[in-house]
Amino acid sequence: MPKYEWPEKSKRAVLGRRISKSDSPDKVSGRAKYASDVKRPGQLYAKFLRCPHAHAKVVSIDVSAAERMPGVKAVKICEKKGPGSEILWALDEVVGVVAVDERTAEDALQKIVVKYEKLPHLVNEQDLAGAGDRAKPAAEQVTGDPDKAFQEAEVVIEGDYGIPVITHCCLESHGQVVEWEGDNLTVYPSTQNVSGLVGQFAQPLKIPASNVKIRMDHVGGGFGSKFSPDSWGVESAHLSKQAGGKPVKTFLERDAELFVAGVRPSHFARIKLGAKKDGTVTAWEHHSWSTGGPTGGGMAPLPYVLSVPNSRKKHTAVATNTGPQRAWRAPNHPQACWLTFAALDDMAAKLNMDSLDFYLKNIQLAGERADLYRRELLKAAELIEWKKKWHPRGDPAPGHLKRGLGLGFHTWGGRGHASEARLTINPDGSVSVDIGTQDLGVGTRTVIAMVAAETLGLPVSAIKVNIGRAPDYPVSGGSGGSTTVGGVSAATRRAGQNALEELFAKVAPALSAQPSELEAVGGKVQMRDNPAKNLPWRQATARLGVTPLVVSGKNAAAASAADGKLTDQGVGGVQMADVTVDIETGIVKMNKFVAVQDCGLIINEKTAESQVLGSMIMGVCYSLFEERVMDEVTGRPLNANMEFYKLAGIGDIGDFVVHMWKDDPEQDARGVIGLGEPPVIAPGAAIGNAVANAIGVRVPQAPFTPARVLAALEKKGGLSS
Amino acid sequence: MNAFEYAAPTTKEQAVGLLADRWGDAEVLAGGTDLLSLMKDYLPTPKRVVNIKDIKELQGIKYSSATGLRLGALATIEELLSNAAVKKEYPALAQAAEGVSSPQIRNAGTIGGDLCQRPRCWYFRSGLGYFPKDDGGKDLIPTGQNEYHAILGNSGPAYFVHPSSLAPALIALDAKARIFGSAGWREVRVEEFFVTPNNDGDRETVLKSNEILGEIILPPAKGIRSATYEVRQKEALDWPLAAAAVALKMSGNTVQSARVVLGHVAPVPWRSQAAEQALGGKAIDENTASEAGSAAVNGARPLSKNGYKVQLARVAAKRALLQAAQGGA
């Protein structure tokens, strides 16, 4: 068995290079086909009637007029939504209609009469006192002796902080095309979980998993919200069957996409901190609360990154009549990061300390990665010119434009998930890699090709990568938790090394060498100690005769000693923001945003940087603009659209600087670690703290809108003209 | 969207003949940037859509120093932006057009459509009604999610803000709207074109259901300094939180007469005579502009969550005045 490891840095031909995504030309030109572009022969369209009320009992449903409409092919009351059922959030689907086109299906929905009995609802949780019996407190957690630590603390601060529910806002909404052939189902989904969908469709439809095929080439955003078929996917399969097995296309309307297909839980907290006069943090106490819909919301990892020796933690989940939560890029970490670093930054301000010095003073609380954070803090500070530009709270410059700096740091896991790669070397020298994974637009295809190319000593263009089919290709995990790059790269590396072992056995006699003396480099199979003795790749593969070499490689989800160092988990990362706030209007503008990010061995520096840039854009969005707005009285959503659910445009994001931590041999030696999540965690903290530094007062709740900035300034009674 | 009859007349007379005697039966289509999204949400469900884009007479922009500026209702926002005379003579109007921050909307959207678009109120657009009420008949907005709603002219039942980008500038520049109906042309000042609705079937302008807005006429702007300032949270695709357009007739360095109009603060574009009077005979500087800004929001009565808009409107007026004083014709 080969020793599975990455080549030494000096010997890498492909790994670490900047290579554009292989599917970018297809996407830019429009040749790339997403599931929402799929049009099957005879395709029908499904639409769902949605409950307008936040909490209601279904009294009766009359679908007869819709059924009679010309062009309508099937009408079905959704599972568990019949008369007598309880609806727990507005826009939940009640009845599905399939018709010859979208307009007919929509018009048919208008003809369905559902009578509801409205029930009491709660949609907003910021005011915990108003939550009544919807608030479910969890047991208090105590570490050390917080009471004593607060008594002994020389400085104590207390503050309220919060961040609201936001939504995933996938540009390609959730949905799929389903198509029956007898009892066999083919699904063209928009998913983060190609292999996993097979069983998830089979089980509720009561068909063997072996009857399900999944087909997907591209997906237009998931961010953690696209792992399952969803109720509407299963309903669509039922509706398709009812319509005679014809293909049925279902993609959510924008309102359901935003408010039903995935939201990130809110987090609010009253936080108390104790410290010594020299800045050493000694005591932490918080009472947090959150909602992620009908089941409430769990406690974010507070305090974040830094372990305060004495702490008391209390959390209350608040059940609301709102669309249920889904994993949103680094679940609960962005909330924890913002709450923690806002409170710490307020402590630094109270101590009259430069917050960079304050964090460096407390860096040992970061545990095993303390020294890495220290070095990353210093690098980020250099890139944003912290020491030159930082000032105590409240920019002393005259005029209405105030500039400030802020920072935050983060952590994440990122070990590769279970994944299997099947690598084929054909006698003509061509190579393909099959993996039942998906490329969320982040470069997974490209990374697989790079790893295979590196391993086989071939150019990247020589590798054909096949993904997005199940069960045709070997099973690979869902793309969540930043696990994909580690999983597919380790599996591909193993498959490649396994394949070479077999190929070398066939080629060795022709070179009068032992298989163990061979290597594949620069398009040749050659003797490691005597490269002059070689066969060009195609001559080497011709030794396979007429039978292609098909070899697998597997990565296991859990690490074991025999695994080598192909993938690992645990990263840090530091972000610093430079903002300008107009104190007359409360408008915050990004000047510069610096991210310093470690992630082990970097396969493709360009796509790695893109992950960070995308995260920073999302971070600016949720820091300055994003917020779900519900009407308290009616329980109805008000901004379930792209007009008032605000996202940044190119003019709103400022200058981004990404520094990948790639020159550190210690980090490189750890192998590949996922990057999808970590860089999206700290923007709220960095930007929120920069706003406080600029205007001299904390804006306690994100997003930092003109209304909130002006309210904070008014409370302070200061700078506003 | 319900099925509808589609008509594409080529003359204004045909168009008017195709419209209905009451609102809702027929709708006028021009750029379509507002009407189509409303129809997709089943807000209006017209039996007939009358596309007026092919009426040549209502197209184009014409300027003469003697008679002023004539804007066809069908001229696009982009045509307005790229017109050199507009930029030079009517900067308030050009700056207002710049505030329409989506190239797609600038290319498709028309001047008439900007003035006739329906409120962006998220209660209205979410299907909760033109004057949304709770089960007990009480207005929802005054104590609801009113962060983008009116701070002036908001005694109810209308609490929305008029969304027009161009109206404040047109009113500041003393424009007239020419309306065509079965009885021929009639003319109103743009200031009087907008009305606050009181009943569910009402609309936000003086247009009758069988009339069309044909053209806008601006007097020559010689000696007028004008500017528009919008407070927008985002650079991209966003509505102003508050806006102000001003036109100043100067005598040397002092203001002879002024027109100050706020946008996005009331169900109609809001002309402030208090601000105008505060400026008379004064030179524009930070202090006088500030005082006029404060006068502009006289009588503001914020709802539960939109108090910040008073400050934004005040600043918009101040900055528009400073901008006009520095530039303009």
Side-chain angles (χ1 to χ4, degrees):
Chain A
M1 198 173 77
K3 190 178 175 200
Y4 300 114
E5 59 189 7
W6 296 111
E8 278 171 42
K9 203 165 186 180
S10 62
K11 293 190 174 161
R12 294 174 197 161
V14 178
L15 296 187
R17 278 173 49 196
R18 303 181 67 85
I19 294 186
S20 297
K21 288 180 243 180
S22 57
D23 50 12
S24 292
D26 283 347
K27 289 188 172 177
V28 172
S29 64
R31 283 192 302 267
K33 294 298 172 211
Y34 291 72
S36 40
D37 296 320
V38 168
K39 189 162 186 196
R40 303 291 301 159
Q43 181 172 290
L44 304 173
Y45 297 84
K47 297 281 173 187
F48 289 92
L49 182 70
R50 298 180 178 282
C51 176
H53 309 298
H55 190 197
K57 202 165 123 183
V58 177
V59 177
S60 64
I61 304 178
D62 181 357
V63 299
S64 54
E67 281 174 333
R68 284 197 302 271
M69 248 184 82
V72 170
K73 299 294 178 186
V75 180
K76 180 181 178 296
I77 295 170
C78 298
E79 294 291 309
K80 296 176 187 163
K81 300 287 171 56
S85 63
E86 188 181 347
I87 307 285
L88 291 175
W89 60 86
L91 301 184
D92 196 7
E93 70 267 10
V94 180
V95 182
V97 168
V98 161
V100 291
D101 56 32
E102 291 192 73
R103 190 180 62 76
T104 306
E106 275 166 8
D107 287 350
L109 297 182
Q110 302 287 311
K111 301 205 184 300
I112 297 170
V113 183
V114 183
K115 286 197 178 122
Y116 298 98
E117 178 192 334
K118 283 199 255 178
L119 300 171
H121 64 255
L122 178 76
V123 293
N124 291 326
E125 75 296 358
Q126 187 178 349
D127 171 24
L128 184 59
D133 62 0
R134 301 299 193 92
K136 297 181 176 61
E140 195 173 275
Q141 300 169 27
V142 175
T143 309
D145 189 342
D147 293 329
K148 184 160 168 263
F150 274 112
Q151 268 169 25
E152 289 171 0
E154 291 165 327
V155 184
V156 173
I157 62 144
E158 201 166 355
D160 295 305
Y161 310 91
I163 185 161
V165 170
I166 65 165
T167 103
H168 293 67
C169 216
C170 304
L171 286 190
E172 182 189 36
S173 67
H174 285 60
Q176 70 290 307
V177 175
V178 292
E179 183 171 358
W180 290 97
E181 210 180 316
D183 277 338
N184 291 290
L185 181 73
T186 303
V187 184
Y188 303 85
S190 175
T191 187
Q192 298 177 242
N193 194 11
V194 164
S195 292
L197 281 195
V198 170
Q200 292 191 64
F201 266 100
Q203 195 261 335
L205 294 171
K206 302 188 173 67
I207 54 173
S210 51
N211 286 14
V212 178
K213 284 194 186 117
I214 306 295
R215 301 276 177 270
M216 184 186 78
D217 292 328
H218 305 283
V219 50
F223 315 111
S225 67
K226 286 183 179 168
F227 289 108
S228 86
D230 290 314
S231 50
W232 49 87
V234 176
E235 293 291 355
S236 298
H238 285 307
L239 281 159
S240 165
K241 195 109 213 189
Q242 209 174 309
K246 287 207 170 171
V248 167
K249 183 173 192 167
T250 311
F251 275 85
L252 296 188
E253 305 300 312
R254 189 48 55 182
D255 57 353
E257 174 60 31
L258 260 70
F259 281 37
V260 174
V263 295
R264 180 174 92 174
S266 60
H267 235 86
F268 298 90
R270 162 144 286 218
I271 299 173
K272 192 173 156 188
L273 261 181
K276 293 184 191 166
K277 273 187 187 149
D278 70 357
T280 310
V281 177
T282 55
W284 169 281
E285 186 178 294
H286 81 255
H287 179 195
S288 57
W289 65 98
S290 67
T291 192
T295 55
M299 183 170 84
L302 293 167
Y304 191 61
V305 179
L306 304 175
S307 301
V308 182
N310 305 289
S311 67
R312 175 178 288 111
K313 307 175 188 181
K314 206 171 134 188
H315 181 74
T316 301
V318 185
T320 53
N321 297 104
T322 56
Q325 68 187 50
R326 296 186 179 196
W328 188 101
R329 245 180 149 166
N332 271 338
H333 281 232
Q335 298 95 315
C337 183
W338 148 244
L339 296 175
T340 301
F341 286 95
L344 287 167
D345 196 73
D346 285 350
M347 174 58 93
K350 174 100 174 182
L351 291 161
N352 287 319
M353 278 180 85
D354 176 333
S355 33
L356 176 63
D357 297 338
F358 172 79
Y359 291 119
L360 290 170
K361 173 96 194 164
N362 285 290
I363 204 68
Q364 77 290 347
L365 299 178
E368 59 169 334
R369 269 184 289 281
D371 189 57
L372 178 60
Y373 281 120
R374 186 185 60 78
R375 287 180 289 147
E376 289 181 333
L377 277 165
L378 294 174
K379 184 69 203 178
E382 175 197 321
L383 292 170
I384 208 158
E385 300 179 284
W386 184 281
K387 282 293 168 190
K388 186 176 145 200
K389 291 182 176 161
W390 186 85
H391 52 71
R393 280 239 171 127
D395 183 355
H400 60 272
L401 298 177
K402 306 291 181 188
R403 197 160 176 171
L405 295 183
L407 73 90
F409 42 104
H410 53 258
T411 186
W412 191 251
R415 171 180 295 281
H417 56 202
S419 184
E420 182 173 357
R422 184 170 67 213
L423 191 142
T424 302
I425 300 175
N426 291 296
D428 68 359
S430 61
V431 177
S432 60
V433 184
D434 306 335
I435 308 188
T437 187
Q438 48 280 321
D439 188 335
L440 272 52
V442 297
T444 304
R445 275 189 181 85
T446 315
V447 159
I448 293 168
M450 288 175 76
V451 170
E454 177 76 49
T455 307
L456 303 180
L458 296 173
V460 178
S461 59
I463 312 294
K464 185 170 188 217
V465 176
N466 300 309
I467 63 170
R469 300 278 185 279
D472 319 45
Y473 304 148
V475 172
S476 193
S479 289
S482 306
T483 56
T484 304
V485 70
V488 300
S489 63
T492 304
R493 176 71 180 169
R494 283 158 191 267
Q497 288 190 270
N498 292 343
L500 282 183
E501 194 176 56
E502 292 194 31
L503 181 67
F504 290 168
K506 302 255 187 194
V507 173
L511 291 169
S512 311
Q514 292 300 312
S516 61
E517 293 173 312
L518 300 181
E519 63 178 7
V521 175
K524 290 173 190 158
V525 174
Q526 63 190 27
M527 286 188 73
R528 199 175 291 109
D529 297 332
N530 183 10
K533 276 187 87 175
N534 67 62
L535 278 182
W537 177 255
R538 286 187 64 167
Q539 287 180 33
T541 59
R543 300 271 152 183
L544 294 169
V546 294
T547 312
L549 184 59
V550 182
V551 181
S552 282
K554 267 189 181 182
N555 184 59
S560 80
D563 276 348
K565 275 285 183 193
L566 289 180
T567 176
D568 197 359
Q569 64 186 354
V571 297
V574 168
Q575 297 187 353
M576 293 185 178
D578 171 350
V579 306
T580 293
V581 184
D582 182 332
I583 57 165
E584 288 185 340
T585 62
I587 291 172
V588 178
K589 294 280 179 209
M590 298 295 299
N591 299 318
K592 190 171 176 180
F593 195 7
V594 169
V596 175
Q597 186 61 52
D598 60 280
C599 66
L601 183 152
I602 293 169
I603 295 176
N604 184 343
E605 198 180 337
K606 188 172 186 180
T607 53
E609 268 181 23
S610 288
Q611 279 279 31
V612 182
L613 291 168
S615 293
M616 293 162 87
I617 293 171
M618 261 181 128
V620 171
C621 289
Y622 76 71
S623 300
L624 299 183
F625 306 120
E626 286 183 79
E627 180 168 18
R628 181 182 70 187
V629 181
M630 307 289 296
D631 178 56
E632 208 153 296
V633 175
T634 58
R636 302 264 291 260
L638 292 176
N639 64 341
N641 54 48
M642 301 291 278
E643 180 178 4
F644 287 109
Y645 187 85
K646 297 189 182 188
L647 296 178
I650 199 78
D652 298 306
I653 61 174
D655 288 335
F656 285 176
V657 177
V658 175
H659 179 87
M660 299 306 298
W661 201 258
K662 62 188 164 74
D663 299 324
D664 182 343
E666 204 179 306
Q667 292 302 318
D668 184 85
R670 298 178 64 202
V672 176
I673 310 176
L675 190 56
E677 261 126 331
V680 86
I681 296 169
I687 295 168
N689 289 335
V691 170
N693 182 250
I695 67 175
V697 60
R698 169 65 55 193
V699 181
Q701 194 186 318
F704 312 113
T705 59
R708 294 201 177 95
V709 170
L710 290 177
L713 282 165
E714 195 176 314
K715 206 167 160 191
K716 180 190 167 216
L719 293 161
S720 186
S721 66
Chain B
M1 189 187 292
N2 282 340
F4 55 84
E5 182 187 307
Y6 175 79
T10 52
T11 69
K12 58 185 189 304
E13 290 79 9
Q14 287 168 349
V16 166
L18 287 159
L19 292 173
D21 289 339
R22 52 171 200 174
W23 286 114
D25 285 353
E27 293 285 346
V28 174
L29 173 75
T33 58
D34 190 23
L35 182 65
L36 290 186
S37 58
L38 285 162
M39 285 172 64
K40 282 180 184 172
D41 288 337
Y42 295 89
L43 288 169
T45 49
K47 296 188 188 83
R48 180 184 288 164
V49 170
V50 180
N51 179 359
I52 60 169
K53 265 179 292 191
D54 296 333
I55 305 175
K56 292 212 167 55
E57 199 187 326
L58 308 184
Q59 298 169 352
I61 295 177
K62 229 186 247 165
Y63 173 74
S64 113
S65 56
T67 56
L69 185 69
R70 181 261 181 195
L71 306 170
L74 291 173
T76 64
I77 309 290
E78 188 56 40
E79 284 176 72
L80 191 58
L81 262 177
S82 54
N83 187 294
V86 170
K87 193 161 269 178
K88 183 163 175 280
E89 301 292 326
Y90 305 95
L93 190 55
Q95 288 156 13
E98 278 167 26
V100 180
S101 53
S102 142
Q104 291 88 342
I105 291 176
R106 287 201 301 265
N107 284 321
T110 62
I111 292 169
D114 174 81
L115 300 178
C116 295
Q117 64 186 308
R118 306 301 311 278
R120 308 307 309 185
C121 167
W122 53 18
Y123 285 86
F124 171 57
R125 298 264 168 175
S126 303
L128 286 157
Y130 195 39
F131 303 130
K133 292 182 183 347
D134 67 13
D135 290 343
K138 190 173 146 244
D139 287 345
L140 280 174
I141 292 173
T143 53
Q145 296 295 335
N146 51 45
E147 43 268 59
Y148 301 129
H149 285 79
I151 52 171
L152 286 155
N154 57 357
S155 51
Y159 300 95
F160 57 77
V161 295
H162 198 281
S164 170
S165 296
L166 307 178
L170 291 173
I171 295 169
L173 293 162
D174 201 14
K176 290 184 179 69
R178 283 170 51 79
I179 295 167
F180 189 78
S182 51
W185 287 104
R186 69 183 176 110
E187 195 170 279
V188 297
R189 295 163 67 214
V190 173
E191 191 180 346
E192 285 150 6
F193 181 70
F194 299 98
V195 291
T196 301
N198 280 309
N199 300 300
D200 251 323
D202 290 354
R203 296 252 167 139
E204 303 85 33
T205 69
V206 297
L207 277 181
K208 295 196 183 83
S209 63
N210 54 5
E211 290 180 323
I212 52 175
L213 175 59
E215 54 188 25
I216 308 289
I217 308 292
L218 284 84
K222 206 164 172 54
I224 304 281
R225 293 184 175 200
S226 73
T228 294
Y229 188 92
E230 293 185 344
V231 180
R232 263 186 293 126
Q233 191 190 1
K234 293 199 305 174
E235 298 281 328
L237 272 179
D238 202 7
W239 295 99
L241 297 164
V246 300
L248 306 172
K249 195 163 192 186
M250 304 298 288
S251 165
N253 272 338
T254 60
V255 176
Q256 196 184 319
S257 68
R259 290 168 74 93
V260 176
V261 186
L262 300 178
H264 301 269
V265 296
V268 293
W270 192 262
R271 185 170 169 199
S272 170
Q273 268 147 358
E276 294 168 3
Q277 280 154 19
L279 290 163
K282 289 183 188 157
I284 302 275
D285 58 21
E286 180 79 23
N287 281 336
T288 51
S290 251
E291 280 166 21
S294 294
V297 293
N298 264 354
R301 198 188 62 130
L303 307 171
S304 60
K305 289 189 170 73
N306 68 2
Y308 75 104
K309 285 188 63 169
V310 178
Q311 161 71 6
L312 299 189
R314 188 187 292 139
V315 172
K318 177 181 94 172
R319 291 186 184 177
L321 286 166
L322 290 171
Q323 201 168 299
Q326 281 158 20

